[in-house]
Amino acid sequence: MLVRDGGADGPEVFLQRRAGAMEFAAGMTAFPGGRVDPVDAEVDIDWAGPAPNWWGQRFGVTEARAKALVCAAVRETFEECGVLLAGPTADTVVADTAGYRRQRERIERRDLTLAEFLAEEKLVLRADLLRPWARWITPTVERRRYDTHFFVALLPAGQLADGATSESDGVHWSTPAAALATWKAGEQVLLPPTWSQLTSLGAYSDTAAILAAEPPIEPIQPEFGPVDGKMLLQFPDNMSYFADIPDASRLQGSKGMRDTDPSLLGGSGRGGAGSGAR
């Protein structure tokens, strides 16, 4: 979750609309991210900030897994929006990534690893610019399942976030409140984990407060269960999500959920089946 100070209305977060051809969560509004590659932590990387064992303790994973998660977060942020959390030294950060466009494309094609790129350019991975935020696990009802670790980072000074990736067909900066308002209006689709993170970010007045926060990280795996005689997806504050869910007939969900009974998600139309589960 890439954030920046946006003025009187508070901090803003960078959002993407996932391309319609994506197998999972097509058309959904989400944060930059993706899956861990096996090579993300296979070699040594010049590293600044909390060591992998600290990240492992915060996320409840092994040190090796934690290193891979941090590397994947840095790599995916660079791939998907051109923001690079690295610098020439342990206390500096790249001010302009335009000169790395070719390397960015090669990394996205998997022709170049993050470690190779950083080594060739003599850059230090800035783990200290990231903060651990949350962990969500996809419900068992979904065909595609993920163990998702959410990070937050401040947009480095001088860098610009863009939409130059095949996985997105639209990007924008928004305050969490504005993003939630457009979701309620049915103008964009938010899966529960995205909705939950936007709700939590909306509680902070500026990015300094966000970066200083230490939210407890307990794995959340939504499950279906009965509520007043109706089967609904169970997750923290789920009734607030369902209370504001827009007309499901106006929404398009992930391919894996399009044929799911919308009543399971609190919606009322076939098109909204994907908006309540991931």
Side-chain angles (χ1 to χ4, degrees):
M1 300 184 292
L2 202 59
V3 297
R4 70 181 186 184
D5 285 308
D9 293 331
E12 298 176 334
V13 61
F14 184 75
L15 296 169
Q16 301 174 320
R17 185 174 64 250
R18 288 172 61 82
M22 298 293 289
E23 278 295 319
F24 182 81
M28 302 286 187
T29 294
F31 310 108
R35 67 183 62 187
V36 172
D37 282 348
V39 298
D40 277 327
E42 287 185 351
V43 297
D44 289 335
I45 292 177
D46 284 341
W47 181 292
N53 64 342
W54 181 88
W55 291 96
Q57 291 171 6
R58 294 289 284 121
F59 275 126
V61 298
T62 66
E63 181 176 338
R65 177 66 174 173
K67 181 179 179 182
L69 289 170
V70 173
C71 290
V74 172
R75 175 180 53 75
E76 287 285 345
T77 304
F78 184 46
E79 284 183 29
E80 294 201 3
C81 60
V83 171
L84 182 58
L85 302 176
T89 66
D91 57 1
T92 60
V93 65
V94 172
D96 183 0
T97 65
Y100 298 127
R101 178 168 295 278
R102 182 179 62 84
Q103 292 94 325
R104 175 184 173 187
E105 293 172 350
R106 291 184 61 203
I107 291 174
E108 187 170 13
R109 295 195 306 266
R110 300 301 182 262
D111 293 336
L112 180 71
T113 69
L114 175 68
E116 291 169 341
F117 164 62
L118 295 177
E120 289 175 3
E121 300 299 329
K122 296 180 173 55
L123 296 174
V124 180
L125 185 146
R126 293 289 307 276
D128 57 324
L129 299 181
L130 289 160
R131 300 290 187 276
W133 199 262
R135 180 181 178 187
W136 282 63
I137 301 172
T138 315
T140 57
V141 298
E142 181 59 87
R143 181 171 58 86
R144 287 176 174 267
R145 303 191 63 223
Y146 302 96
D147 185 353
T148 304
H149 300 74
F150 288 90
F151 295 79
V152 66
L154 179 67
L155 176 70
Q159 293 195 32
L160 299 175
D162 61 35
T165 172
S166 60
E167 297 186 7
S168 170
D169 59 14
V171 302
H172 66 284
W173 286 92
S174 172
T175 64
L180 292 169
T182 57
W183 171 71
K184 294 177 187 178
E187 297 171 12
Q188 61 181 348
V189 189
L190 301 177
L191 290 173
T194 311
W195 171 87
S196 179
Q197 309 324 311
L198 287 170
T199 300
S200 65
L201 289 176
Y204 298 92
S205 59
D206 54 36
T207 58
I210 292 174
L211 296 180
E214 296 183 0
I217 301 176
E218 296 292 337
I220 298 171
Q221 180 175 318
E223 299 290 350
F224 285 114
V227 176
D228 296 330
K230 189 175 185 178
M231 295 294 289
L232 290 176
L233 199 65
Q234 306 291 309
F235 56 89
D237 207 20
N238 65 327
M239 297 313 294
S240 294
Y241 177 87
F242 291 126
D244 291 332
I245 197 168
D247 179 6
S249 67
R250 299 169 61 188
L251 307 178
Q252 289 295 320
S254 66
K255 290 183 179 180
M257 295 297 290
R258 284 177 184 166
D259 295 327
T260 300
D261 182 356
S263 65
L264 294 175
L265 306 169
S268 59
R270 298 287 294 180
S275 63
R278 182 178 181 183

